[in-house]
Amino acid sequence: MKLSLIKVGNGCRLGKIKNLGKTRDHTMDIPGCLLYTKTGSAPHLTHHTLHNIHRLPAMAQLTLSSLAEHHEVLTEYKEGVGKFIGMPESLLYCSLHDPVSPCPAGYVTNKSVSVWGAGGRVEMTASKFMAIQQALQPDWFQCLSDGEASCAEVTSIKRARKSVDRSLLFLDSCLQLQEKSEVLQKSLIIGVIEGGDVMEERLRSARETAKRPVGGFLLDGFQGNLMATEIGLHLLSSVTAELPEDKPRLICGVSRPDEVLECVERGVDLFESFFPYQVTERGCALTFSFDFQPNPEETLWQQNGTQEEIKYLDQTEKIKTTDCTQEMTSFEINLKEKNQ
Amino acid sequence: MAAAANPASLESAPRILRLVAECGHSRARAGELRLPHGTVATPVFMPVGTQATMKGITAEQLDALGCRICLGNTYHLGLRPGPELIQKAHGLHGFMNWSHNLLTDSGGFQMVSLVSLSEVTEEGVRFRSPYDGAVSLLSPEKSVEIQNALGSDIIMQLDDVVSSTVTGPRVEEAMYRSIRWLDRCIAAHRQPDKQNLFAIIQGGLDADLRATCLEEMTKRDVPGFAIGGLSGGESKGQFWRMVALSTSRLPKDKPRYLMGVGYATDLVVCVALGCDMFDCVFPTRTARFGSALVPTGNLQLKKKQYEKDFSPIDPECTCPTCQKHSRAFLHALLHSDNTAALHHLTVHNIAYQLQLMSAVRASIVEKRFPDFVRNFMNTMYGDPTLYPPWATEALASVGITLG
């Protein structure tokens, strides 16, 4: 795998990742996104309807939370999850959790992490986790990690430290197990940067993880409240500054267009794409424009006073209608409203 | 071509059915329906879409499966979004983005199924809208007006539908009223050159009433006939006898549409009895419960036995689901909250029905329909002692002996 940067500026990275996949001949653009799936399928869509969409992401995101319980089936199947789900040609990244359904906190121990599937909790030690990955055979997978430092309202330094320590231990165990597995030689482990909102721990996590032979980095714990604050954004820049340039940076739990742009400006390369699913579930349709004007001043002059460009960089309007109890954003319209 | 016309015949309704082949033994026929939105091979199974969409499948997917006619539901569409809006969207075809044929029903059947909302009088059916509680009257004239606005290729008369489990004077009342309503529909129909109005034979399970209805309705100048009032709670023994009676008295050169049928065995038997067109919610509804239709019956894919079954639903099936996915994957998907599983099954089940009809038709054209039927029954039931007696009787009545 080779990441080549074409351009870097304003904190943003533009580039290509080449030689991807088992056959080493796939390419991905960065910044880029991953196709969101649930139990190995795009939500609501069959292969036929999915492929009516142009420019699908080259890499799909699978979640261990939806697949761990099918471990036995996949082991017996032998040919890997890509073929099992009917996506043999696609690049696959396996994350621990589903970004849409937060999992209950309090189940990470020094020895194990749990995920929640349709059938309930699946507890995984490093060896069980790697056994499952052996059955899945994804191209990339998020390493077993402790993401709970960010679950509490305020992270204690102690808890932040623990999340970093545990995640590094898990990483070292998994790397060791990977060496012994022939099947997993072609898969890349993505190291997970933890540390809650504690700068010191975040930097430690970044530096230590970067010392390991990982394929890339997942910035965990920046979803939700942390993203909305200046402190969180500053933390993000500080973390990416510590990471090597030639490996991809993924972030989880961030999918809204405005948040994605903020992260791109702070050195993040790859994103999950669950936002369209959330919009769908509340009966809304995405309608935002993402045209860019090379000469914004001139364009603003031409429009009759409305400032379209600035609109979407504003804070999200919290629009509550009677039909839509979830938070709508300014990127969508509610199709159930009579005036649509 | 249709038989030489009686020189004294006053009929001017278009002959939309061209017979291509007839089974030498049974009453089965293969033909072509010539409709405004293209030709349809018969016998044909028509998938059902409520509210202008096939649940779980897009118009494009339905087209890709080879479907050339499907059903739109007047009761739901007439209320919401309403005919004015649909006319603005260039009719139901435009609204659904469906370029092939559409058949709409009158809205009458929903009256039976949602009977707590309705009251039948000579005027029409008075009912309370489930959407906004407003009281409306669905008269024969109103039903035809709505269907004219929808622009479907085949429209159905408003009939006075009575459940097949009802007995007594109500059945007779409904039969005669349906004849009067047929005449009112014919009179109200503004687009006979663009839309084909079908009559619906009623009479419940009473042979005399049904015979009367047949005699009267066949005097009317309509392009096709539906056999209604069956496929409810009646016994299969009564069911097939009423179908056979109906086909024996309906003109050969017009299509026979058996409403609400259904299951694979019923389709095959009723083709043998002389029916050309069928509709049923069964394949799409059963898909949404995780059931896949196969030549041997059905597979309840949520069951543990399919957990590690890496073969497709049906290795002979050419649908996209069977081309790409295993029973094991669908099993896993069915146990998740991703609705894609249901869409995969809907696609397969419709494909199954359409492929079944294709195979039936080919066997009629190739003069081997009785063998096809024997093969079908054997595959479906295995041992002849397990064949449903009603099916054996029905087939025997038209010259096909089993086992």
Side-chain angles (χ1 to χ4, degrees):
Chain A
M1 182 202 87
K2 181 165 160 48
L3 191 157
S4 321
L5 290 175
I6 300 165
K7 214 170 184 169
V8 179
N10 287 342
C12 309
R13 294 148 49 93
L14 178 72
K16 280 193 187 304
I17 311 179
K18 297 180 186 153
N19 309 335
L20 285 164
K22 312 258 171 34
T23 49
R24 302 264 184 270
D25 59 4
H26 283 71
T27 305
M28 265 204 303
D29 288 328
I30 56 168
C33 69
L34 312 172
L35 178 72
Y36 174 63
T37 68
K38 288 159 70 78
T39 313
S41 166
H44 310 304
L45 301 176
T46 64
H47 184 262
H48 185 142
T49 46
L50 176 65
H51 285 270
N52 280 342
I53 301 168
H54 302 297
R55 295 182 301 170
L56 287 172
M59 182 177 270
Q61 172 192 7
L62 307 174
T63 59
L64 208 53
S65 52
S66 66
L67 294 171
E69 62 198 300
H70 304 295
H71 175 202
E72 256 188 57
V73 178
L74 286 158
T75 303
E76 197 165 314
Y77 183 68
K78 289 191 184 57
E79 297 179 73
V81 72
K83 201 159 171 229
F84 183 71
I85 62 179
M87 290 196 204
E89 304 301 312
S90 182
L91 293 169
L92 298 172
Y93 162 68
C94 185
S95 67
L96 260 186
H97 299 294
D98 186 324
V100 172
S101 343
C103 65
Y107 288 90
V108 182
T109 72
N110 288 337
K111 289 248 184 297
S112 71
V113 174
S114 294
V115 291
W116 272 258
R121 184 162 84 103
V122 179
E123 188 175 4
M124 300 176 292
T125 56
S127 39
K128 179 157 184 191
F129 171 78
M130 290 303 281
I132 295 174
Q133 296 297 350
Q134 284 219 102
L136 293 174
Q137 298 155 40
D139 297 293
W140 294 359
F141 60 94
Q142 170 185 354
C143 192
L144 202 61
S145 56
D146 177 357
E148 287 188 5
S150 319
C151 286
E153 279 294 317
V154 177
T155 322
S156 74
I157 298 185
K158 203 169 154 186
R159 188 63 185 86
R161 184 170 302 143
K162 205 192 266 191
S163 74
V164 177
D165 290 338
R166 276 181 178 158
S167 301
L168 287 167
L169 277 167
F170 286 139
L171 178 56
D172 289 335
S173 306
C174 291
L175 283 166
Q176 263 185 12
L177 289 163
Q178 186 188 27
E179 270 177 48
K180 298 181 198 155
S181 162
E182 201 190 314
V183 158
L184 284 176
Q185 289 312 304
K186 295 217 169 128
S187 306
L188 292 177
I189 296 186
I190 305 293
V192 188
I193 313 297
E194 298 289 354
D197 58 9
V198 178
M199 177 68 83
E200 202 183 299
E201 289 304 317
R202 282 283 177 185
L203 295 178
R204 181 168 76 94
S205 181
R207 289 171 192 145
E208 286 301 316
T209 308
K211 289 179 186 168
R212 275 76 170 168
V214 293
F217 304 91
L218 175 67
L219 303 155
D220 192 13
F222 285 95
Q223 56 266 46
N225 296 328
L226 202 54
M227 268 300 296
T229 65
E230 275 306 311
I231 298 175
L233 293 172
H234 177 60
L235 205 57
L236 186 58
S237 320
S238 308
V239 169
T240 56
E242 299 293 326
L243 299 174
E245 285 198 340
D246 64 345
K247 290 184 180 174
R249 299 92 175 265
L250 294 79
I251 193 164
C252 55
V254 173
S255 184
R256 260 178 39 195
D258 51 345
E259 294 179 347
V260 166
L261 291 177
E262 306 250 46
C263 292
V264 169
E265 285 179 313
R266 289 166 179 81
V268 181
D269 303 321
L270 292 165
F271 300 84
E272 298 168 324
S273 65
F274 57 87
F275 180 59
Y277 171 69
Q278 291 175 311
V279 174
T280 303
E281 292 306 286
R282 46 179 181 251
C284 295
L286 289 170
T287 56
F288 66 100
S289 153
F290 42 86
D291 294 333
F292 86 99
Q293 305 298 340
N295 197 342
E297 280 163 354
E298 204 176 280
T299 318
L300 274 175
W301 188 257
Q302 282 162 7
Q303 288 165 1
N304 22 313
T306 58
Q307 298 180 1
E308 298 254 343
E309 273 80 0
I310 303 181
K311 191 162 130 190
Y312 298 116
L313 299 175
D314 276 354
Q315 296 299 316
T316 308
E317 292 167 40
K318 292 188 173 134
I319 304 161
K320 289 212 156 93
T321 70
T322 48
D323 280 339
C324 181
T325 52
Q326 284 197 32
E327 271 180 25
M328 266 178 66
T329 65
S330 52
F331 303 107
E332 59 200 85
I333 55 171
N334 183 354
L335 290 172
K336 290 186 200 157
E337 276 184 27
K338 276 204 177 301
N339 59 7
Q340 304 296 3
Chain B
M1 202 38 237
N6 176 345
S9 168
L10 297 167
E11 296 223 352
S12 61
R15 291 295 191 277
I16 59 174
L17 179 68
R18 181 177 87 92
L19 289 176
V20 164
E22 291 180 73
C23 172
H25 304 268
S26 67
R27 296 183 196 170
R29 316 104 67 75
E32 280 172 5
L33 277 175
R34 283 167 308 177
L35 295 168
H37 282 83
T39 305
V40 177
T42 64
V44 64
F45 177 78
M46 305 180 286
V48 184
T50 305
Q51 305 193 49
T53 177
M54 210 64 45
K55 287 186 184 175
I57 188 171
T58 62
E60 196 232 330
Q61 286 176 293
L62 204 54
D63 173 306
L65 289 175
C67 177
R68 293 295 174 261
I69 181 170
C70 66
L71 258 63
N73 189 291
T74 300
Y75 174 69
H76 292 285
L77 293 169
L79 294 178
R80 186 178 76 174
E84 302 78 23
L85 192 69
I86 294 200
Q87 246 180 337
K88 274 191 198 167
H90 308 297
L92 192 52
H93 286 87
F95 194 68
M96 284 175 71
N97 199 16
W98 175 250
S99 61
H100 305 296
N101 295 293
L102 282 170
L103 183 153
T104 46
D105 78 330
S106 64
F109 181 68
Q110 263 64 32
M111 302 306 162
V112 170
S113 31
L114 303 166
V115 89
S116 60
L117 300 173
S118 74
E119 186 208 343
V120 180
T121 65
E122 186 61 26
E123 263 192 299
V125 184
R126 194 168 299 279
F127 64 97
R128 189 177 295 281
S129 162
Y131 302 118
D132 60 10
V135 175
S136 322
L137 175 74
L138 184 67
S139 62
E141 291 77 14
K142 185 75 186 166
S143 173
V144 169
E145 184 194 322
I146 293 172
Q147 294 183 80
N148 282 158
L150 297 177
S152 37
D153 303 88
I154 298 177
I155 68 176
M156 305 303 295
Q157 71 157 111
L158 181 68
D159 50 345
D160 185 1
V161 183
V162 176
S163 163
S164 54
T165 52
V166 170
T167 54
R170 179 74 186 100
V171 184
E172 181 169 355
E173 178 194 48
M175 185 273 285
Y176 281 112
R177 180 170 291 144
S178 296
I179 299 171
R180 292 192 293 276
W181 282 3
L182 172 59
D183 288 337
R184 283 167 62 182
C185 285
I186 293 171
H189 187 19
R190 286 200 222 330
Q191 298 172 155
D193 51 332
K194 286 208 199 119
Q195 298 179 282
N196 297 286
L197 173 64
F198 277 31
I200 306 180
I201 309 295
Q202 293 293 348
L205 303 174
D206 184 314
D208 291 330
L209 290 178
R210 204 162 266 274
T212 304
C213 197
L214 282 156
E215 192 181 332
E216 284 306 312
M217 285 193 174
T218 50
K219 289 178 189 165
R220 271 70 174 173
D221 182 18
V222 286
F225 295 91
I227 302 166
L230 301 175
S231 80
E234 74 278 355
S235 79
K236 277 299 205 285
Q238 296 168 303
F239 162 76
W240 82 258
R241 285 181 172 81
M242 289 299 106
V243 174
L245 171 61
S246 305
T247 56
S248 70
R249 309 274 173 106
L250 285 169
K252 274 192 150 190
D253 59 353
K254 292 183 176 177
R256 295 93 171 261
Y257 165 27
L258 181 56
M259 305 182 82
V261 172
Y263 300 114
T265 304
D266 302 7
L267 290 172
V268 173
V269 172
C270 293
V271 167
L273 296 179
C275 298
D276 307 305
M277 303 161 66
F278 306 87
D279 82 280
C280 192
V281 294
F282 171 66
T284 42
R285 183 175 290 165
T286 207
R288 297 198 296 277
F289 289 103
S291 173
L293 299 177
V294 289
T296 50
N298 68 79
L299 309 178
Q300 298 295 335
L301 288 172
K302 280 184 173 177
K303 290 198 164 160
K304 192 139 173 85
Q305 65 191 104
Y306 299 109
E307 192 189 26
K308 294 176 185 171
D309 187 343
F310 301 123
S311 56
I313 293 172
D314 180 358
E316 305 292 308
C317 179
T318 56
C319 85
T321 303
C322 291
Q323 293 303 295
K324 265 206 137 352
H325 298 298
S326 64
R327 297 171 183 189
F329 172 62
L330 293 168
H331 172 92
L333 205 53
L334 281 167
H335 283 282
S336 77
D337 61 352
N338 191 340
T339 70
L342 307 175
H343 302 315
H344 286 301
L345 293 187
T346 301
V347 165
H348 168 78
N349 285 356
I350 292 181
Y352 170 80
Q353 300 279 106
L354 298 178
Q355 282 167 132
L356 175 64
M357 287 289 104
S358 261
V360 164
R361 185 178 197 271
S363 76
I364 298 169
V365 168
E366 291 163 26
K367 303 263 181 256
R368 50 179 179 82
F369 178 66
D371 276 339
F372 175 88
V373 176
R374 284 186 268 268
N375 231 316
F376 169 85
M377 295 295 285
N378 186 25
T379 307
M380 183 64 75
Y381 298 101
D383 198 85
T385 59
L386 297 171
Y387 293 178
W390 75 268
T392 309
E393 275 178 9
L395 290 165
S397 80
V398 288
I400 298 183
T401 50
L402 299 175

